[in-house]
């Protein structure tokens, strides 16, 4: 089990953060997600055997946002 | 105000000039433009103009104007094509029937033949008879004039023989009819034109299939009561000042200035620079460039259809329509042949009438038979058959040629201009290699870690490093990652921190660089450091295509070679030196490229990007890489489907060979007929040999078959 925090830019309102929250939650291997558009981050707990952190970055960018920073917590 | 129509019935530039002249006479028009290639009439007018009047005027000279309706026109085109096919097949069948009937004996045979030949002459042969009239009124002649003269002579004389047999026998005129000649002359030429059209359509159809749908809409953002609303708006409805958002990978829809976001944008199709440029707040964006790894929000600087890209596209369209059509070799020969034949016919007539003291009727009959025999119907097949076989062979080899006149032009080329990025080079940055610094040991694990880090970044330089490393390494999972746009990336794996980026970035992190010697390089240098110690550098550049050198060597002897590019001097000079091209032109804007091309006559240009399109449109012969932008492909005469230059050499050799075959064909189509002119003129009448229809048909058959057979020799090329 791994937890990573992604710094997400481009979130303007709660609509954006909900979009990210819903999409990430549905991904296989994700245990817990929390997204804050005020603080510009998404914290994701996931099973590293099932999914890699790169996939989260790709998905968030597909939705129209930008990930420039991430770290393990 | 502007208005456009589709024009039906144009066949050549003479038609285009006639229409332009006719419409220009109308009051109240600011500009009139006729585009032969796109078959469009465009006008600009200040106040209300009577469109019906324009349509009527164009109709009066024999052409039809149609409204530019999207769905309609494609349906009309299909039925028009079927109709054309039907017309050609009917003319050929009619010609064969007329010829076949000659062998059957039955009452009133000649009247039936007259009946069948009349539609042949007046309906299928209408445009050729028009050419004869044009010759009589203006003196200009072409191949069509020759066809018209021959078929009309044959028809009128034969009709006279059938309708006035008493006059014929009384005056001892040759009582022969040439109805089958009327048929063959017209049917052959129609067939030749049909072949030509088919070859053109085939090339166009293959090219249409290459075009991907480009975005016609833009994502407009509006702030309504703190809620961000996104709507899709058609490009031509975008207005200056609108806020637009583009996602990664999308095309920038309109010129603008960035308000928010940071991204690397690929402008290579516009500027020729193969490495994407960092765009951030207040950076300018160009419509047509491709967004990289991040979203961008920007303000439109111009209206949707006023971007620089649109300027280039309209320039291309205009250049194509005002391009002078080269006078085809067949027409050149005809314009000399027609007066010669008429002169011989008149001499024949005069000799018999004045010197030989024969009756008017007999002298006329010799004149007619000279005109009939001198008409080389195979002339109409000489060029089209060779062109069809050549373009067919070319497309089998992945070279799409848009028309026969291109082959003729290609045989006169002296200067060749090569675009750099994407034409001589691959068009995207690739890693040349990695250089260790001073005895630094780099483990496989180190490279696995570097791969993991660059995989996390969407920057094109990261992608090229990733492509390079992935052959021998597996990317590690990262504990942390950070990317600074325009500078570099860093990541941590198991307490080891790696930094990958440019010199400025590493220096700002206090990584010791100065004691290492970093050599000058024409491409990009990416440094790699581990725990603040420099490991080495990746050398990245846009690679020259592997077969470029060989091809340049092949072409250097025969042609003057030039390299033209919008990229910076060092990059262009490097490629030019590597390949041995002496004429170097760098840092050129798309329109500067146009001026350069225009400065040399008999030029050929090879390109692939949007920034090449205007230059391609003005070049005498233009060749596009099939792997390049749609705009370049649609502005070009020839497309090299696989984007490889080896086909260029093939195309040039094929064109020269085809021209040779065409000249042989023209000779063969004239020689048989010319040899029979003395017989037609009555030189051997003392031996009772004069032109019977069977000689005329025989001459036509032999010359046509020789021409077709000769053209088929191109199949082996």
């Amino acid at each position: 089990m791994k937890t990573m925090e992604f710094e997400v830019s481009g979130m303007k309102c709660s609509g954006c953060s909900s979009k990210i929250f819903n999409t990430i939650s549905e991904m296989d291997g994700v245990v817990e997600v929390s997204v804050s558009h005020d603080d510009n981050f998404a914290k994701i707990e996931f099973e590293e055997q099932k999914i890699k952190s790169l996939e989260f970055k790709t998905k968030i960018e597909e939705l129209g946002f930008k990930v420039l920073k991430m770290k393990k917590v | 105000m502007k208005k456009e129509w589709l024009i039906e019935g144009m066949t050549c530039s003479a038609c285009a000039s006639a229409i332009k002249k006719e419409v220009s006479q109308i009051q109240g028009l600011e500009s009139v433009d006729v585009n032969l290639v796109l078959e469009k009439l465009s006008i600009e007018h200040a106040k209300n103009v009577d469109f019906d009047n324009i349509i009527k005027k164009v109709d009066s000279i024999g052409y039809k104007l149609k409204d530019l309706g999207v769905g309609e026109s494609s349906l009309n085109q299909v039925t028009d094509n079927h109709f054309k096919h039907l017309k050609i097949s009917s003319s050929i069948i009619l010609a064969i029937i007329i010829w076949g009937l000659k062998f059957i004996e039955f009452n009133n045979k000649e009247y039936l033949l007259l009946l069948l030949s009349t539609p042949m002459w007046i309906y299928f042969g209408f445009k050729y008879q028009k050419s004869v009239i044009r010759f009589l009124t203006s003196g200009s002649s072409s191949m069509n004039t020759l066809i018209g003269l021959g078929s009309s002579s044959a028809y009128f004389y034969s009709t006279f023989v059938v309708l006035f047999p008493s006059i014929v026998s009384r005056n001892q005129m040759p009582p022969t009819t040439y109805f089958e000649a009327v048929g063959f002359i017209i049917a052959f030429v129609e067939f030749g034109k049909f072949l030509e059209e088919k070859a053109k359509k085939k090339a166009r159809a293959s090219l249409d299939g290459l075009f991907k749908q480009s975005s016609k809409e833009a994502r407009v953002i509006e702030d309504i009561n703190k809620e961000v609303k996104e709507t899709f708006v058609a490009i031509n409805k975008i207005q200056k000042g609108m806020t637009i958002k583009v996602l990664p990978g999308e095309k920038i829809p309109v010129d603008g200035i960035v308000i928010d976001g940071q991204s690397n944008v690929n402008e290579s199709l516009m500027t020729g620079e193969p490495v994407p440029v960092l765009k951030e707040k207040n950076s300018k964006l160009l419509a047509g460039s491709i967004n990289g790894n991040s979203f961008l929000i920007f303000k439109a600087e111009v209206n949707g259809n006023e971007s620089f890209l649109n300027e280039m596209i309209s320039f291309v369209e205009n250049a194509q329509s005002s391009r002078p059509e080269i006078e085809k070799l067949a027409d050149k020969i005809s314009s000399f042949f027609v007066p010669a034949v008429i002169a011989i016919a008149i001499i024949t007539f005069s000799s018999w009438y004045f010197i030989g003291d024969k009756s008017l009727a007999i002298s006329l009959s010799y004149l007619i038979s000279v005109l009939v025999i001198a008409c080389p119907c195979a002339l109409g097949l000489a060029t089209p058959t060779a062109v069809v076989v050549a373009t067919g062979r070319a497309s089998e080899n992945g070279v799409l040629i848009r028309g026969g006149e291109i082959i003729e032009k290609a045989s006169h080329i002296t200067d060749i201009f090569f675009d750099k990025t994407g034409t001589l080079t691959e068009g995207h940055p690739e890693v040349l290699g990695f250089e260790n610094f001073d005895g630094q040991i780099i483990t496989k694990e180190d490279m696995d870690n570097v791969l993991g880090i660059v995989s996390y970044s969407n920057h094109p330089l990261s992608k090229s490093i990733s492509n390079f490393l992935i052959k021998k390494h597996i990317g590690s999972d990262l504990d942390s990652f950070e990317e600074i746009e325009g500078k570099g990336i860093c990541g941590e794996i198991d307490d080891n921190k790696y930094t990958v980026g440019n010199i400025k970035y590493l220096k700002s992190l206090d990584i010791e660089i100065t004691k290492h010697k970093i050599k000058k390089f024409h491409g990009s240098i990416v440094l790699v450091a581990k725990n603040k110690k420099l490991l080495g550098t990746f050398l990245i550049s846009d690679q020259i295509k592997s077969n470029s050198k060989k091809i340049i060597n092949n072409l250097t002897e025969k042609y003057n070679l030039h390299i033209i590019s919008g990229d910076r001097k060092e990059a262009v000079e490097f490629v030019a030196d590597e390949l041995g091209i002496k004429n170097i032109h760098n840092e050129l804007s798309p329109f500067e490229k146009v001026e350069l091309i225009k400065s040399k006559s008999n030029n050929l240009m090879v390109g692939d990007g949007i920034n090449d399109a205007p230059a391609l449109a003005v070049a005498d012969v233009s060749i596009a890489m099939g792997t390049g932008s749609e705009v370049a492909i649609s502005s070009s005469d020839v497309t090299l489907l696989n984007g490889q230059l080896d086909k260029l050499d093939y195309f040039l050799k094929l064109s020269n060979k085809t021209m040779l075959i065409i000249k042989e064909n023209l000779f063969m189509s004239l020689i048989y007929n010319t040899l029979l002119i003395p017989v037609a003129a009555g030189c051997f009448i003392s031996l009772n040999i004069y032109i019977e229809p069977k000689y005329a048909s025989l001459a036509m058959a032999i010359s046509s078959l020789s021409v077709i057979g000769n053209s088929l020799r191109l199949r082996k090329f």
Side-chain angles (χ1 to χ4, degrees):
Chain A
M1 209 77 79
K2 224 171 165 182
T3 307
M4 301 198 103
E5 202 172 275
F6 297 81
E7 193 179 291
V8 182
S9 61
M11 290 195 280
K12 298 271 191 232
C13 60
S14 51
C16 304
S17 45
S18 314
K19 217 171 17 170
I20 296 178
F21 179 84
N22 291 333
T23 313
I24 301 290
S25 305
E26 278 172 17
M27 293 170 87
D28 188 27
V30 170
V31 174
E32 203 180 314
V33 187
S34 59
V35 185
S36 159
H37 81 266
D38 285 322
D39 299 321
N40 289 325
F41 78 84
K43 190 150 108 180
I44 308 173
E45 191 183 336
F46 60 97
E47 291 170 47
E48 56 198 296
Q49 310 303 330
K50 280 196 179 170
I51 192 168
K52 299 261 178 277
S53 63
L54 182 56
E55 291 181 57
F56 297 128
K57 177 179 193 273
T58 312
K59 201 45 135 188
I60 294 173
E61 284 177 347
E62 259 176 42
L63 291 172
F65 308 99
K66 179 69 181 173
V67 174
L68 282 172
K69 226 170 163 176
M70 72 94 172
K71 67 176 192 275
K72 189 164 82 169
V73 292
Chain B
M1 287 191 282
K2 293 190 185 168
K3 175 87 179 135
E4 284 184 342
W5 289 272
L6 278 175
I7 310 178
E8 257 183 25
M10 284 202 293
T11 53
C12 65
S13 53
C15 303
S17 319
I19 295 175
K20 189 164 176 180
K21 220 168 109 181
E22 194 69 24
V23 176
S24 299
Q25 288 170 2
I26 296 177
Q27 300 285 352
L29 297 180
E30 285 170 351
S31 77
V32 178
D33 189 64
V34 177
N35 188 321
L36 180 62
V37 172
L38 301 174
E39 293 180 337
K40 267 204 300 199
L41 165 67
S42 322
I43 61 167
E44 268 180 47
H45 58 102
K47 319 163 275 186
N48 278 332
V49 164
D50 187 3
F51 292 146
D52 281 332
N53 188 21
I54 298 179
I55 296 176
K56 246 193 271 178
K57 262 200 170 265
V58 172
D59 193 43
S60 72
I61 53 172
Y63 307 95
K64 287 225 172 325
L65 288 183
K66 283 232 154 93
D67 269 321
L68 291 168
V70 176
E72 254 180 58
S73 54
S74 46
L75 179 63
N76 279 346
Q77 267 213 330
V78 171
T79 43
D80 277 344
N81 280 342
H82 284 167
F83 183 69
K84 269 190 203 145
H85 284 211
L86 194 63
K87 197 171 168 196
I88 306 270
S89 342
S90 321
S91 71
I92 294 177
I93 292 174
L94 186 57
I96 294 176
I97 290 176
I98 295 173
W99 176 70
L101 281 177
K102 291 226 93 178
F103 297 105
I104 307 174
E105 286 302 328
F106 57 92
N107 277 342
N108 297 321
K109 178 163 97 167
E110 300 295 329
Y111 285 104
L112 179 62
L113 290 177
L114 169 60
L115 208 62
L116 291 175
S117 301
T118 305
M120 193 73 190
W121 177 77
I122 198 64
Y123 176 61
F124 292 114
F126 188 56
K127 70 158 95 83
Y128 306 108
Q129 317 318 340
K130 271 208 293 207
S131 298
V132 178
I133 297 179
R134 215 182 294 149
F135 171 71
L136 292 171
T137 53
S138 68
S140 64
S141 60
S142 68
M143 194 177 73
N144 288 350
T145 320
L146 209 48
I147 306 296
L149 273 179
S151 54
S152 298
S153 312
Y155 178 73
F156 281 122
Y157 186 78
S158 311
T159 307
F160 186 79
V161 166
V162 171
L163 295 181
F164 305 106
S166 48
I167 302 182
V168 171
S169 58
R170 202 187 319 142
N171 285 290
Q172 293 170 322
M173 291 161 68
T176 50
T177 57
Y178 304 102
F179 287 121
E180 73 274 25
V182 180
F184 280 148
I185 292 172
I186 294 175
F188 274 148
V189 164
E190 283 289 290
F191 183 62
K193 294 221 164 115
F194 170 71
L195 283 182
E196 222 171 350
E197 273 306 301
K198 233 184 151 183
K200 271 195 194 159
K201 286 210 170 94
K202 221 171 152 194
R204 228 180 286 162
S206 316
L207 288 171
D208 286 344
L210 281 176
F211 295 170
K212 302 151 237 156
Q213 280 301 326
S214 40
S215 69
K216 301 269 191 319
E217 291 178 322
R219 194 181 288 99
V220 176
I221 301 213
E222 290 164 300
D223 244 310
I224 302 179
N225 298 332
K226 280 256 173 175
E227 261 221 28
V228 173
K229 191 171 151 222
E230 281 183 12
T231 28
F232 283 94
V233 177
I235 300 252
N236 56 9
K237 295 234 161 59
I238 301 281
Q239 285 175 340
K240 180 173 169 176
M242 281 185 172
T243 307
I244 301 178
K245 179 176 181 181
V246 280
L247 294 185
E250 290 181 344
K251 260 197 211 157
I252 309 290
V254 63
D255 292 347
I257 301 194
V258 179
I259 312 174
D260 191 15
Q262 259 187 347
S263 184
N264 285 293
V265 172
N266 184 341
E267 292 187 326
S268 68
L269 291 180
M270 306 291 278
T271 63
E273 265 211 56
V275 181
V277 181
L278 175 66
K279 301 286 182 186
E280 46 196 356
K281 189 160 174 183
N282 292 332
S283 299
K284 280 189 174 237
L285 291 177
L286 280 178
S289 51
I290 301 171
N291 189 17
N293 36 339
S294 167
F295 74 88
L296 281 173
I297 297 181
F298 68 96
K299 218 176 199 51
E301 263 204 304
V302 293
N303 291 337
N305 51 9
E306 288 170 7
S307 301
F308 181 60
L309 174 64
N310 291 84
E311 257 184 66
M312 290 210 289
I313 291 180
S314 25
F315 176 88
V316 165
E317 280 187 0
N318 284 332
Q320 283 175 331
S321 66
S322 52
R323 225 167 160 197
E325 278 213 8
I326 58 154
E327 202 190 353
K328 298 210 180 112
L329 193 55
D331 286 327
K332 264 193 213 151
I333 291 183
S334 303
S335 64
F336 151 77
F337 204 66
V338 167
V341 164
I342 292 182
I344 293 176
I346 292 178
I347 290 173
T348 306
F349 172 80
S350 313
S351 308
W352 285 112
Y353 190 59
F354 296 115
I355 302 174
D357 215 15
K358 296 285 179 189
S359 71
L360 183 69
I362 290 191
S363 308
L364 270 178
S365 71
Y366 283 122
L367 180 146
I368 297 286
S369 57
V370 166
L371 287 178
V372 171
I373 201 68
C375 172
C377 67
L379 197 65
L381 291 175
T383 309
T385 48
V387 164
V388 162
V389 179
T391 53
R393 195 81 190 97
S395 71
E396 279 168 32
N397 278 302
V399 178
L400 293 181
I401 306 176
R402 277 198 199 240
E405 67 275 12
I406 295 153
I407 293 181
E408 289 199 38
K409 279 197 225 183
S411 59
H412 300 302
I413 295 297
T414 55
D415 285 72
I416 301 183
F417 291 85
F418 291 94
D419 164 55
K420 177 180 79 73
T421 310
T423 303
L424 292 174
T425 67
E426 296 290 349
H428 52 259
E430 272 175 43
V431 174
L432 273 180
F434 180 80
E435 279 191 7
N436 304 32
F437 275 135
D438 295 356
Q440 286 287 356
I441 302 173
I442 296 144
T443 63
K444 179 174 185 304
E445 202 187 315
D446 282 326
M447 280 310 189
D448 286 341
N449 293 339
V450 171
L451 176 56
I453 296 170
V454 293
S455 306
Y456 228 79
S457 155
N458 294 333
H459 192 289
L461 291 180
S462 308
K463 289 217 180 106
S464 25
I465 296 175
S466 164
N467 287 337
F468 177 71
L469 291 175
I470 208 152
K471 297 177 203 151
K472 294 194 183 145
H473 298 273
I474 299 178
S476 322
D477 282 336
L478 308 179
D479 292 333
S480 84
F481 171 83
E482 186 176 354
E483 178 158 9
I484 316 285
E485 295 271 9
K487 300 237 170 63
I489 54 183
C490 62
E492 267 177 50
I493 298 118
D494 298 333
D495 296 327
N496 282 317
K497 187 166 178 182
Y498 294 83
T499 317
V500 180
N502 59 24
I503 296 177
K504 233 196 321 188
Y505 179 50
L506 268 71
K507 270 201 182 146
S508 70
L509 296 174
D510 295 322
I511 297 175
E512 179 67 58
I513 299 185
T514 42
K515 65 175 183 172
H516 300 278
K517 263 196 289 209
I518 299 176
K519 62 181 185 189
K520 266 195 162 287
F521 183 59
H522 64 274
S524 309
I525 300 179
V526 177
L527 290 84
V528 181
K530 177 180 177 182
N531 297 329
K532 299 231 175 175
K533 251 173 133 182
L534 259 187
L535 291 183
T537 57
F538 284 104
L539 298 175
I540 305 180
S541 76
D542 183 13
Q543 307 282 41
I544 296 175
K545 288 187 181 171
S546 50
N547 53 11
S548 294
K549 185 136 178 79
K550 195 170 95 170
I551 288 145
I552 299 294
N553 284 340
N554 285 349
L555 295 172
T556 298
E557 284 158 27
K558 278 190 84 186
Y559 305 98
N560 296 328
L561 302 181
H562 307 249
I563 183 170
I564 65 178
S565 175
D567 204 352
R568 30 181 261 276
K569 185 156 166 253
E570 299 82 42
V572 181
E573 276 181 1
F574 176 77
V575 174
D577 289 338
E578 277 290 304
L579 294 175
I581 299 177
K582 300 202 189 71
N583 301 302
I584 304 173
H585 315 275
N586 51 37
E587 291 171 31
L588 295 178
S589 77
F591 291 111
E592 280 170 335
K593 286 189 187 185
V594 167
E595 293 307 310
L596 181 62
I597 299 270
K598 276 186 174 171
S599 71
K600 295 257 181 275
S601 53
N602 294 323
N603 53 59
L604 182 150
M605 162 134 182
V606 189
D608 76 312
I610 300 179
N611 63 337
D612 298 321
L616 286 169
V618 299
D620 291 323
V621 178
S622 50
I623 302 187
M625 291 291 166
T627 43
S629 73
E630 305 101 76
V631 183
I633 294 173
S634 65
S635 330
S636 301
D637 301 316
V638 180
T639 303
L640 304 180
L641 281 178
N642 64 355
Q644 293 302 327
L645 281 175
D646 52 345
K647 297 302 178 192
L648 172 65
D649 200 31
Y650 170 76
F651 166 71
L652 291 168
K653 291 208 174 98
L654 176 66
S655 302
N656 288 334
K657 179 76 179 167
T658 308
M659 279 316 292
L660 190 60
I661 301 266
I662 290 177
K663 286 176 187 157
E664 289 168 4
N665 287 353
L666 290 170
F667 176 75
M668 281 193 288
S669 58
L670 294 174
I671 195 68
Y672 300 110
N673 297 75
T674 311
L675 287 176
L676 285 174
I677 285 181
V679 181
C683 297
F684 302 102
I685 197 68
S686 49
L687 302 168
N688 230 11
I689 301 173
Y690 54 88
I691 280 302
E692 292 178 53
K694 60 181 178 225
Y695 288 142
S697 309
L698 198 64
M700 281 175 209
I702 293 179
S703 55
S704 303
L705 285 174
S706 328
V707 162
I708 294 175
N710 194 34
S711 297
L712 285 175
R713 282 169 55 210
L714 279 170
R715 294 237 66 210
K716 288 186 257 161
F717 198 80

